Amino acid sequence: MARDYLKKATLTAQSGASDVHELVQGILSDIEAGGDDKAREYAAKFDKYDGNIILTEEEIATACDLVPQKLKEDIQFAHDNVRRFAEAQKATVSDFEYEIVPGLRAGQKAIPVDAAGCYIPGGRYSHIASAIMTVTTAKVAGCTHIAATSPPRPGVGVAPAIVYAAHICGADTIMALGGVQGVAAMTFGLFGLPKANILVGPGNQFVAEAKRILFGRVGIDMIAGPTDSLILADKTADPHIVATDLVSQAEHGYNSPVWLVTDDRDLAEDVMKRVPDLIADLPEVNRDNAAAAWRDYAEVILCADREEMAACSDDYAPEHLTVQAEDLPWWLDRLSCYGSLFLGEETTVSYGDKASGTNHVLPTSGAASYTGGLSVHKYMKIVTWQQATREGSKRVAEATARISRLEGMEGHARAADVRLAKYFPGENFDLTSHE
């Protein structure tokens, strides 16, 4: 049967996007030309903040002292999980060398970038977990300098828990600077920072557009849109938990899509009945976000069977994908397009968002069809090298000369010719090209 939309979205992440390119480009150009002083001007304008941009050791210590011990322990627990998972990821990439032909060796090296810039949202919500996710992975990768920046609040500064998390996770510099000006400061090397080689971390549409514009002169993890989540559920799923998980992700923002894909109509209808009451029970800001997201962006899709459900999910390529269905190994093997996968009722996207160890900086808006999320590998350059004996280079030089001439690249060919002439002076080689 064709997919049956029991609830259809009236908007998409693309239709809801605003064009902020010119505004962001103007701010970046101003700050690049005006340096530290211009960045401070924008901090005063947008952040309503006139304190220190670079937090001193005393300010960091004071902020850390304000964090309750129980929260410190939770942050330390999450940091340890993320660190250990990142270390396991790093171990999957190793240096090696290989003899391609006798006398010609080539190899791979994994080299961390020098400077990482981590953006940590702090506007609507204080994203403590984003500090853990971005700074920890950069530290495990081996970056020599890690800058973290987060929007300060007027008269308060950066949220103390964000400062504490960035500090214990290994940030070398912590800045009180939000939005485009924070991204610009790390990219252009303002306030005495080294210029960032890579920018990472989630943010609003202004931060995302700044990263889009700057990509090329600096690396980025990805260009993130509104967060999105999809749940695959069959008749065995608990409708209350499914509904709760959908609402938990809808609270991210008014334009955060959530999708339920199922082969059981009764489950779908039960979940749809429960969602409004669960939203109504949230605090005001969360309630308003979740209500708008559910009304305008959410979808409930009825499929014929689990194969059609899996195909539907792969088409959406969600940032977060949850499976609450029988035969979890089948789903793990079958599904191929997602940022992070949560198998079974016993785990949830919220775990991955905060503390379980996998990274929460993930591809949105269908980008999971071609990329994964932030990992220790994003901070590492996989480079190659080669070395040859004279005999080992002989056959390669012949092939290089002939291929180059066939392509019309005579200079390349002569770089091979001179080596053959020097290393094998008594031999004749046919180095002409023949189409």
Side-chain angles (χ1 to χ4, degrees), residues 268-310:
E269 292 177 347
D270 194 348
V271 169
M272 292 171 68
K273 288 177 182 177
R274 292 171 184 267
V275 165
D277 288 342
L278 291 171
I279 291 175
D281 194 44
L282 291 172
E284 182 179 2
V285 173
N286 313 62
R287 180 174 67 243
D288 292 346
N289 284 328
W294 179 257
R295 181 188 65 235
D296 298 332
Y297 293 88
E299 294 185 333
V300 178
I301 306 165
L302 187 63
C303 295
D305 52 34
R306 69 179 186 177
E307 176 57 41
E308 177 61 27
M309 290 167 61

Side-chain angles (χ1 to χ4, degrees), residues 153-374:
R153 294 175 179 176
V156 177
V158 178
I162 288 179
V163 175
Y164 177 76
H167 179 62
I168 69 160
C169 292
D172 297 289
T173 303
I174 302 174
M175 294 196 298
L177 207 56
V180 178
Q181 58 272 24
V183 171
M186 295 187 293
T187 302
F188 303 144
L190 304 185
F191 304 105
L193 297 176
K195 292 182 178 180
N197 303 116
I198 187 169
L199 298 170
V200 302
N204 61 20
Q205 69 266 38
F206 299 100
V207 170
E209 184 60 26
K211 289 166 70 176
R212 186 195 309 273
I213 292 170
L214 293 168
F215 177 56
R217 65 190 296 176
V218 65
I220 64 172
D221 49 357
M222 65 197 73
I223 299 168
T227 191
D228 59 69
S229 297
L230 188 149
I231 297 179
L232 294 163
D234 65 12
K235 64 183 180 181
T236 67
D238 182 330
H240 181 68
I241 287 181
V242 172
T244 300
D245 285 355
L246 289 169
V247 171
S248 73
Q249 291 302 298
E251 80 169 346
H252 272 286
Y254 72 93
N255 57 351
S256 295
V258 292
W259 306 294
L260 171 61
V261 178
T262 182
D263 59 356
D264 187 83
R265 181 180 291 272
D266 290 341
L267 174 79
E269 292 177 347
D270 194 348
V271 169
M272 292 171 68
K273 288 177 182 177
R274 292 171 184 267
V275 165
D277 288 342
L278 291 171
I279 291 175
D281 194 44
L282 291 172
E284 182 179 2
V285 173
N286 313 62
R287 180 174 67 243
D288 292 346
N289 284 328
W294 179 257
R295 181 188 65 235
D296 298 332
Y297 293 88
E299 294 185 333
V300 178
I301 306 165
L302 187 63
C303 295
D305 52 34
R306 69 179 186 177
E307 176 57 41
E308 177 61 27
M309 290 167 61
C312 180
S313 176
D314 281 348
D315 287 344
Y316 277 67
E319 177 187 11
H320 308 101
L321 177 56
T322 298
V323 178
Q324 293 181 19
E326 293 180 311
D327 196 5
L328 296 178
W330 182 89
W331 295 96
L332 178 60
D333 183 61
R334 169 61 182 82
L335 296 164
S336 62
C337 296
Y338 52 84
S340 193
L341 179 60
F342 301 83
L343 292 165
E345 177 188 298
E346 293 75 17
T347 188
T348 176
V349 175
S350 295
Y351 289 179
D353 279 349
K354 308 304 177 187
S356 61
T358 57
N359 211 287
H360 81 186
V361 182
L362 299 165
T364 63
S365 305
S369 64
Y370 61 83
T371 190
L374 180 63

Side-chain angles (χ1 to χ4, degrees), residues 49-64:
Y49 177 76
D50 60 2
N52 285 334
I53 299 297
I54 303 294
L55 272 61
T56 65
E57 290 185 9
E58 291 76 15
E59 288 173 323
I60 292 172
T62 298
C64 290

